[in-house]
Structures are given as structure tokens and as C-alpha cells.
Amino acid sequence: MATDTTLKKFLDETGRIAVFTGRFLNEWFRPRYEISEFFRQCYIIGYKSLPLIGLTGFIIGLVMTMQLRPSMVNYGVESQIPAIVGISIIREIGPIITALIFAGKIGSSIGAELGSMKVTEQIDAMEVSGTNPFKYLVVSRVLATTFMLPVLVLLSDCIALYGSYLGVNIKGITSWSLFWNKVFTNLIYADIFPAFIKTFFFGFIVGIIGCYKGYHSSKGTEGVGRSANSSVVVSSVLIFITDLLVVQVTDLIGYG
Amino acid sequence: MADPDSNDTVISGVAPGISRSAPQSKEEVIVISHLYKSFGSNRVLQDFNLTLYKGQNIVVLGKSGSGKSVLIKCIIGLLRPDAGEIFVFGKNVPELNHFALDELRARIGFLFQSNALYDSMTVRDNLEFPLRRHWIQVTQAQVNDMVMEALEDVGLAHTVDMMPVELSGGMRKRIALARTLILKPDIILYDEPTTGLDPITGKEIIDLIVEIQNKYNTASLIISHDMNCVRLASDLVAVLIEGKCYALDTYDRLKSSTDPNVKPFFEQ
Ligand SMILES: Nc1ncnc2c1ncn2[C@@H]1O[C@H](COP(=O)(O)OP(=O)(O)OP(=O)(O)O)[C@@H](O)[C@H]1O
Ligand SMILES: [Mg+2]
């Protein structure tokens, strides 16, 4: 019986998220456009997560390089470290790690912010002040996360590769230009393009789930905490699922 | 009214709304007829009827959870009634589209029970929000003047650059009131304007409500448990019991009522 209600809840929630997403798709391109709010959110969302994403990117690049070295030395392909690190960071690690940190940082703050606005009737107050709160709050945030995450992933990739460059130079000497040369000669368009495209989906997921959870927050402060928490959990899981799907699809259409 | 003698000017036996000194016409601004609203099995409003005229203040009394907040949220279109009509300036609110509703809402002030100040914005931005959002043509200088005027009305001009979290509960209530009044609305819906205030500030707010009514000839629905507010600010008192407008009369007559349902409200 317990699984029965869990399944029902799950399907219920999925349906609601679908309806919410449908509403977004239906409303985002119609006037009135909340352009200044969109740029404000881009600034907040991008700026807030920049230090964290830079730091984690740097550490990932550095650590990956250091961890790879022993086995690469064993195989005698030490010189290929930049190429291997480059491919793994750009194709998978950069996007997924950045997206997960983004979900933790931004998804939870959107969930909590909209959740508390909901329970303290601020969303209703916007509505009576001649504002469509869905546009003002949800559309601007979802668009901002969708466009900011790819930018952050790009930055994070660069910082991670810089970390890797330092890692390579801890035990050995590779010049700056040789390092980048190694990274890029092995990279092809098919490595970069699908990886870049999927970050838009990841950003969209973080935004839409955070907004959904906040917008449908149940009454009370406990509900706000729960919104923040579950927006991180749900968007993280969805990010992994989307990652899997994107890899399958790009494989199919020959980008693999 | 601030003037205690004005209670003697009640003309009994005349149609509702004739009392006090404020000039009152017979122009209807809100007409609620056969309003029903329930949440699941919880029937909140059942066949509620009420008419509010221009220049008139009606105070709504009712037990906690009786549906007073639901009633005014239906009037402003935040909640959709299950059945019934709510005419505001002759337009039936549940049938209006977004644009018409926004246009109507620019003429209605709404004070939320929970204040609903935007806590990510300063007091100034809170007050500017309705001005900027309702497509009203104003210059920045006019906006500044209107903000300062509204803040001076509630005696809080010095808080203009503060954040809502830095204010006390009563100050927040007064800022919310200023935000409600800034558009000089024709109708004002107050949800418990004096709750949580000390008696002196509460009295100031009541005086302000009455002053606004006299100055701009606004019509107001005021939800209140505060007997001072009921006595001083009401032309008529509506008693909400079991989802209906159980009684509608002047404060004095309801106060001397012997009806066992009405009496408890006035025994404090
Ligand atoms: N959004 C909602 N969803 C479900 N039920 C609701 C909702 N809003 C109000 N109710 C229910 O409607 C009833 C009336 O609520 P309302 O807030 O109007 O009470 P009230 O008369 O304003 O009380 P109070 O004086 O305590 O503010 C309550 O039983 C409440 O549980
Ligand atoms: Mg209430």
C-alpha cells in the first residue's frame, strides 16, 4: 500500500511539474517582458556562484591530473595527460559538476526565496500590484539559469584546465603553449558541441524545478525549507537523467 | 469617526450607509451577490451578499477562520469564487481577463493581513513597486514625492532606505498601509489594519483610515477585531457567520442587539 501512494505521489508531482513547465513555455515569449528583472537575475545568479564554481573547477582539474599521472606513467603515455584531462573535463566532468553545484547553490536559493515569498503572500501582493508574478519571478529566473549555466560551465572548464596545467607542472615541465596544444589537437567539434548544448538543459532544469518547488510551497516556514531541499534533490537527479539521455541522443545522431 | 458626537447623528430606519458626516452618494462600488466559496469540503462562504457604496466604510466582523480574508481575496480576484457575482465598479470580477483585472486593481488598495512586504526590497522600492507596475505615467520626481507623502502619512519618512527586516512589526504594518494608499485608490480593502499595534498607534491608523475616507471619499471594507476600530471607522458593521452576512447595521444598533450570535462580538 505504501508503494502505491508513493507511486501516486510521484506521478502526481511529475504531472504538476509538466504543467508548470508547460505554463513557462507558453508564457515566456509573450509580453510583458521583464527584461530588467532578467538581467538582474543573470547578474545575481552568475555572480553568486562564480567563486564556488571557480574553486571546484580548479580543484577538479588539479586533482584529476595528479591522480591520472601514476597510471599514465606506467603506460608510458605521460605526455597525453593534457589530452585526456581535456576531453574528460569538457565532455563530462565540467558540465556535470558545475551543474550539480549550481543546483545546490542556486536551485536551493530560488526554492527558498520563492517559497518564502509564497507563504508570506508576497506573490499575491505582486499580483494585485499589476504584475504577473509568474513572469516577473519564474520566467526571469528560469531564463537566467538557462543562459548563465553554460557561461559558468565554460568558465569552469577553463579554470579546471588551468588547474590541470599546474598539476602537470608539479612533477615535470610542460610549457603553457604545449599544454594547450595537447588539449586542443585532440578535441573535435563533436566533443564540444553536445557538451555545450546539454548545459542549457541543465540550467533550465535547475531554474524550473527551483521555481516550481518555491511557487508551490506549502504554508509555513517548514514548507520553505522543504522546497529548498527538494529542489536540489529533484534537479540533481534530473540532471543525471538528462545527461544520460543527451549522451544517447548524440550517440545516435553520430556525434558520439 | 474621530469626533465622538458623530455617533449621535445616525439616522435610524434609513437605508444602510447613512451615518456620520462623510458625504455619501448612492453610487454602488462593490456589489456581492450569492457568493459561494469552499476549499474541498470546507465551506467557507455560502450565499454571501453585501453592497458597498461610495464614501462608505463597512467593517466586517467574524470569528477567526470564518472566511473574512477569503472574502476580500475574492473581491480583488486572488481567489476565484465557486459561484456568485462580485461587481466592482460595475464589472464582474470573476469574469474579467488579466488586462481588465489589472486595470481594476489599480483602483483598489489591498492591505494584507500578513503585510506581504517584499523583503528583498527597501521600503522605497516596496512603495514604488505598485506605482511602476500599474502603467501609470509618472516622472521620477513625482514618484519620489508620492513615496515621501505616503510615508509621512504613516509617520515613517525616516525608514525610506531601510529593509523590511529592520522594522518592527507595527512599523511593517504601517509601511504596508502606505503601500496600499500610495495609488490613492477608490476602494480600499483592509485586512486587520490595527492588529499587532499598540493602542496609540492603532488609534493613529484608525484616524488615518477615517481621514482618507473623508479626504478622497473612498469606500472601504475593513476587517477588524479591534472594537475601537469598529466603533470609530465604521459606517456599517457586517457580521459574517457561517458564510453569510448575518447582520448589517450601525455599530450602535448592533452593540445593543440581543441576538445571541451577534452579542458576543461586542462583549469585550
Ligand atoms: N488557500 C486556501 N486553501 C485552503 N483553505 C483555505 C485557504 N485560504 C483559506 N482557507 C480556509 O478558509 C477558511 C477561512 O480562512 P480565512 O483566512 O478567510 O479566515 P479569517 O476569517 O480571515 O480568519 P482570521 O481572523 O484568523 O484571519 C479557513 O478555514 C481556512 O482554513
Ligand atoms: Mg484573515
Side-chain angles (χ1 to χ4, degrees):
Chain A
M1 278 299 102
T3 48
D4 214 37
T5 50
T6 317
L7 182 69
K8 190 167 170 290
K9 262 194 197 151
F10 172 76
L11 292 176
D12 212 46
E13 185 83 345
T14 312
R16 280 170 207 262
I17 292 175
V19 169
F20 193 76
T21 310
R23 185 168 172 201
F24 170 83
L25 295 176
N26 184 35
E27 289 207 19
W28 75 273
F29 61 90
R30 293 173 201 270
R32 129 193 223 185
Y33 304 113
E34 305 289 356
I35 297 188
S36 62
E37 187 59 17
F38 165 72
F39 282 114
R40 206 173 71 86
Q41 287 303 327
C42 280
Y43 174 75
I44 293 173
I45 286 170
Y47 185 76
K48 253 205 227 166
S49 24
L50 204 55
L52 192 62
I53 277 166
L55 180 71
T56 47
F58 179 77
I59 291 174
I60 293 273
L62 182 65
V63 170
M64 248 182 85
T65 310
M66 288 161 63
Q67 300 274 19
L68 267 174
R69 176 183 287 277
S71 13
M72 300 302 268
V73 171
N74 268 348
Y75 288 115
V77 282
E78 202 185 339
S79 63
Q80 292 306 314
I81 292 178
I84 292 181
V85 173
I87 286 198
S88 23
I89 283 179
I90 287 169
R91 289 191 71 147
E92 182 62 20
I93 307 218
I96 202 94
I97 296 276
T98 311
L100 290 178
I101 288 172
F102 192 71
K105 175 109 184 129
I106 300 300
S108 64
S109 87
I110 291 180
E113 188 188 8
L114 294 201
S116 68
M117 289 187 79
K118 172 79 182 178
V119 302
T120 57
E121 297 185 308
Q122 291 175 51
I123 293 185
D124 286 342
M126 289 198 164
E127 192 162 345
V128 302
S129 296
T131 300
N132 177 346
F134 193 89
K135 282 223 170 77
Y136 190 82
L137 299 171
V138 176
V139 171
S140 62
R141 277 172 179 72
V142 175
L143 290 179
T145 55
T146 308
F147 288 106
M148 287 320 284
L149 183 60
V151 175
L152 289 168
V153 168
L154 233 73
L155 278 168
S156 159
D157 284 356
C158 293
I159 294 171
L161 289 175
Y162 179 70
S164 171
Y165 167 74
L166 293 185
V168 168
N169 278 292
I170 289 176
K171 288 188 182 166
I173 295 172
T174 306
S175 76
W176 178 251
S177 60
L178 181 64
F179 177 84
W180 290 104
N181 210 346
K182 287 262 184 215
V183 170
F184 283 112
T185 43
N186 287 290
L187 274 179
I188 51 169
Y189 179 66
D191 291 322
I192 298 173
F193 185 66
F196 185 63
I197 292 299
K198 73 181 174 191
T199 56
F200 284 95
F201 287 100
F202 294 167
F204 179 76
I205 287 169
V206 172
I208 202 95
I209 299 295
C211 288
Y212 166 78
K213 290 290 180 183
Y215 216 72
H216 292 273
S217 194
S218 49
K219 289 266 172 193
T221 39
E222 196 206 334
V224 175
R226 223 180 304 135
S227 305
N229 185 284
S230 61
S231 57
V232 177
V233 175
V234 175
S235 48
S236 303
V237 172
L238 282 179
I239 284 170
F240 278 114
I241 295 174
T242 312
D243 195 35
L244 181 68
L245 290 178
V246 169
V247 170
Q248 301 300 322
V249 171
T250 46
D251 232 19
L252 274 181
I253 58 178
Y255 267 131
Chain B
M1 284 293 301
D3 173 12
D5 293 336
S6 64
N7 285 333
D8 301 332
T9 63
V10 169
I11 307 164
S12 53
V14 182
I18 315 274
S19 71
R20 309 194 335 180
S21 53
Q24 287 170 12
S25 66
K26 296 262 59 183
E27 188 186 328
E28 297 166 341
V29 290
I30 299 180
V31 182
I32 303 170
S33 57
H34 307 295
L35 185 67
Y36 289 80
K37 175 75 193 174
S38 37
F39 296 97
S41 59
N42 178 9
R43 298 206 187 134
V44 180
L45 296 175
Q46 291 187 76
D47 198 15
F48 186 92
N49 297 286
L50 187 69
T51 303
L52 180 71
Y53 294 94
K54 193 170 166 66
Q56 185 182 44
N57 281 357
I58 294 184
V59 174
V60 180
L61 281 180
K63 277 196 251 174
S64 182
S66 58
K68 304 178 299 293
S69 299
V70 169
L71 170 70
I72 59 170
K73 282 184 185 170
C74 285
I75 295 174
I76 196 122
L78 282 173
L79 289 173
R80 213 185 153 72
D82 301 331
E85 288 161 336
I86 304 168
F87 285 98
V88 179
F89 296 117
K91 294 187 185 117
N92 190 8
V93 173
E95 285 175 357
L96 294 180
N97 64 22
H98 262 297
F99 299 105
L101 199 55
D102 278 346
E103 220 169 273
L104 194 64
R105 280 169 174 166
R107 301 178 64 187
I108 307 176
F110 193 104
L111 178 69
F112 283 86
Q113 187 168 2
S114 59
N115 300 334
L117 293 179
Y118 307 122
D119 43 34
S120 61
M121 302 181 195
T122 62
V123 167
R124 180 194 303 279
D125 292 339
N126 262 282
L127 265 66
E128 283 184 8
F129 195 86
L131 284 177
R132 299 207 178 284
R133 305 299 302 185
H134 272 303
W135 300 111
I136 293 161
Q137 296 297 322
V138 277
T139 64
Q140 183 59 45
Q142 282 171 307
V143 168
N144 289 343
D145 287 350
M146 288 166 93
V147 168
M148 289 323 290
E149 189 192 334
L151 282 176
E152 271 156 23
D153 276 346
V154 296
L156 286 176
H158 60 285
T159 63
V160 64
D161 290 315
M162 290 165 99
M163 300 298 283
V165 284
E166 299 172 78
L167 305 172
S168 75
M171 287 160 100
R172 269 180 242 165
K173 181 122 258 165
R174 287 189 279 162
I175 297 294
L177 189 63
R179 189 178 68 182
T180 306
L181 302 177
I182 196 160
L183 284 175
K184 306 241 156 47
D186 301 316
I187 298 176
I188 309 176
L189 309 171
Y190 300 93
D191 201 343
E192 310 203 356
T194 57
T195 307
L197 299 179
D198 62 280
I200 300 166
T201 317
K203 176 73 168 52
E204 281 168 18
I205 295 292
I206 298 166
D207 290 344
L208 183 65
I209 291 174
V210 174
E211 191 189 309
I212 286 163
Q213 181 205 12
N214 289 338
K215 201 156 130 194
Y216 302 109
N217 200 23
T218 54
S220 315
L221 271 186
I222 305 164
I223 293 171
S224 185
H225 301 289
D226 174 359
M227 272 308 137
N228 253 332
C229 177
V230 181
R231 181 167 56 85
L232 297 172
S234 69
D235 296 305
L236 286 177
V237 179
V239 184
L240 173 58
I241 297 175
E242 285 174 358
K244 287 189 177 58
C245 182
Y246 182 86
L248 177 70
D249 214 328
T250 59
Y251 172 80
D252 292 301
R253 283 199 288 170
L254 284 179
K255 191 172 163 44
S256 52
S257 160
T258 51
D259 189 316
N261 287 324
V262 174
K263 223 167 173 247
F265 287 106
F266 295 86
E267 286 170 350
Q268 282 186 354

